[in-house]
Amino acid sequence: MLGISALDKCLHYYSLENTPKAFAYTKYFLGHAYLFHAQANYDNPTINLNNAIMAFEEALKFFTHEYDPLMFANIKNNLGVVYVGLSDYLNPLTNLDSAKTAHKEALNNYSKESTPLEYAQTQCYLGHAYNLTAMQKESPAKNLKKAKELLSDALIFITPEQDSFWYSITQADLGAVYGLLADYEDRINNLENSGTAAKETLRFLDNESNPLRYGRALYNLGLSFRKIADYKNKIENLRLAMRAFETALPYFEHINYQQDLMDTHVELGNSLLRLAQIGVDRKLIENAEFREYLNKARDSFRQLGSVDISI
C-alpha cells in the first residue's frame, strides 16, 4: 500500500481548482494502484476496485473528451477493466454493462487510421465483456456473436509480429468464444475454430511468464478435441484431448487456480473414461493401452475425491 499512501500525500498539495493537471494525473496513477492491488488480491478487492473507479472518475474531470480525447479513452478503458473485475464479486450484469459502456466510449475516441493498435485493443476489451455477459446466460448466442465479431476484427490490426502478447491473448479469448458458441450453432466448425485459436495462443504465449493463460489455452484445446470426438475420429481426438489436459495440469498447481485444476481433472477423467469405454465396446479392454486409460481415469477422478470407477 506504499504507492497508494505516497499518491494520497501528493493530493494534500494538488487540487482540481489550483493544480488541475497534476491532480488529474495523480488520480489516474492512484486508480492504477488500486486496480493493481485488487488484481493481486491485496486486502479487500471490492473496496480497491470501487476506490479505483472513484479515482479514475476524478481524473476524467480534467481529462475530458474535448481536452484530451486519447487520455479520455485510456481512462475509459481502465474503468471498463475495473468494472469487469467488480463483476466477479457483485452485480455481474450491471457491472458488465458499465464495462461495455466505458469501452464503447473509449472506442469512439480511437480510429483504425490514426490509432489502429489502441482501437484493436479496445475491441478486445469490449469483446471480452460481451463474452462474460454471455457466460451469465444473458442472450448468450447474441452476445457471443458480438464478441466473435469484435475479437476477429481486432486481429486485423494485432499481429504476432507487431505484438505477440496481445495477439496471443486475443486468440485465447476468441478460442473461448468459439467454444461457447458451438453450443448454439455450427457446432463442429466452431469447435474446430476454437482449437485453431488455442493453438495460435500456444504458439506465441510464453508459458513461464503467463502460466495461467497458457494452461487455460491447453484446457480449451483439450476441450475442443474432446467435443469433436463426438463427431469424428473418436480415438484420435480423445487421445489429443487427453494429452492437452495432462499438459495443462502442472500450470494449475498454484493455490489460486484450484477451480482450473478441478475442471481439468474432470475433463481428463472423462476423456480417459471414454477411451476405456471404447476398449470395452470393441472388446479391446484387455489391451494394455485401454486398461491404462481406465487406471488413469480412476487416478484423475480420485484427485477430486470421487468414488472408484468400474466398467
Side-chain angles (χ1 to χ4, degrees):
M1 300 293 282
L2 289 175
I4 290 174
S5 177
L7 289 166
D8 276 333
K9 286 180 181 178
C10 292
L11 292 170
H12 294 162
Y13 305 97
Y14 301 145
S15 70
L16 187 60
E17 294 75 22
N18 300 320
T19 51
K21 194 167 188 177
F23 172 85
Y25 268 117
T26 303
K27 286 289 187 178
Y28 171 74
F29 292 126
L30 190 59
H32 274 290
Y34 279 121
L35 176 56
F36 172 78
H37 278 74
Q39 291 173 334
N41 283 317
Y42 293 154
D43 303 317
N44 188 317
T46 56
I47 291 175
N48 281 316
L49 289 167
N50 278 305
N51 285 337
I53 290 170
M54 289 189 287
F56 285 133
E57 291 288 2
E58 286 288 304
L60 285 171
K61 291 180 180 178
F62 177 77
F63 290 115
T64 62
H65 161 73
E66 294 77 17
Y67 175 74
D68 190 335
L70 295 184
M71 189 63 175
F72 173 86
N74 180 298
I75 296 171
K76 282 292 183 178
N77 265 339
N78 279 292
L79 272 171
V81 172
V82 174
Y83 279 118
V84 165
L86 201 54
S87 73
D88 287 339
Y89 300 97
L90 48 91
N91 303 324
L93 288 175
T94 300
N95 281 309
L96 288 170
D97 282 344
S98 295
K100 286 180 285 188
T101 298
H103 290 314
K104 286 175 184 176
E105 289 182 88
L107 198 63
N108 288 337
N109 286 273
Y110 292 132
S111 75
K112 297 178 181 179
E113 294 74 28
S114 59
T115 52
L117 185 58
E118 291 83 356
Y119 184 89
Q121 289 172 340
T122 304
Q123 286 184 305
C124 294
Y125 287 131
L126 188 54
H128 182 61
Y130 274 106
N131 183 21
L132 293 176
T133 302
M135 292 172 69
Q136 294 293 325
K137 305 302 180 186
E138 180 74 9
S139 303
K142 177 182 176 182
N143 281 306
L144 288 167
K145 287 179 185 178
K146 184 64 178 177
K148 182 185 77 169
E149 175 190 331
L150 287 160
L151 293 165
S152 297
D153 284 351
L155 287 170
I156 297 171
F157 302 101
I158 300 175
T159 64
E161 295 78 19
Q162 184 181 45
D163 193 322
S164 60
F165 174 71
W166 266 95
Y167 177 80
S168 65
I169 64 173
T170 305
Q171 287 285 4
D173 274 356
L174 184 58
V177 168
Y178 275 125
L180 293 171
L181 194 55
D183 289 339
Y184 300 95
E185 63 180 35
D186 201 3
R187 186 164 178 79
I188 296 177
N189 189 50
N190 277 319
L191 288 172
E192 289 177 339
N193 285 336
S194 178
T196 299
K199 289 175 186 175
E200 279 296 286
T201 303
L202 295 167
R203 280 183 65 204
F204 295 98
L205 191 64
D206 178 37
N207 63 326
E208 293 185 2
S209 58
N210 297 280
L212 181 59
R213 290 184 187 275
Y214 197 88
R216 285 177 175 170
L218 283 165
Y219 174 84
N220 284 332
L221 180 60
L223 207 57
S224 66
F225 283 132
R226 201 267 294 160
K227 292 180 178 179
I228 289 171
D230 289 338
Y231 303 96
K232 60 183 181 180
N233 304 328
K234 183 171 287 188
I235 293 178
E236 177 187 351
N237 279 309
L238 286 172
R239 283 172 175 159
L240 290 169
M242 173 193 72
R243 290 175 196 137
F245 293 134
E246 286 179 334
T247 308
L249 283 173
Y251 294 101
F252 300 141
E253 289 176 351
H254 190 281
I255 187 65
N256 290 338
Y257 307 155
Q258 291 302 291
Q259 187 60 55
D260 293 280
L261 186 67
M262 288 190 292
D263 290 344
T264 307
H265 271 300
V266 167
E267 291 298 341
L268 174 59
N270 285 335
S271 300
L272 289 162
L273 199 56
R274 290 181 64 189
L275 280 165
Q277 188 63 55
I278 291 171
V280 172
D281 295 342
R282 299 183 185 181
K283 304 190 186 311
L284 299 171
I285 198 61
E286 295 308 319
N287 181 297
E289 178 185 1
F290 287 92
R291 174 56 60 181
E292 182 62 17
Y293 291 145
L294 179 58
N295 292 334
K296 289 171 75 173
R298 287 193 180 105
D299 290 341
S300 194
F301 284 121
R302 281 179 186 136
Q303 296 295 321
L304 305 169
S306 298
V307 297
D308 198 7
I309 305 166
S310 60
I311 294 182

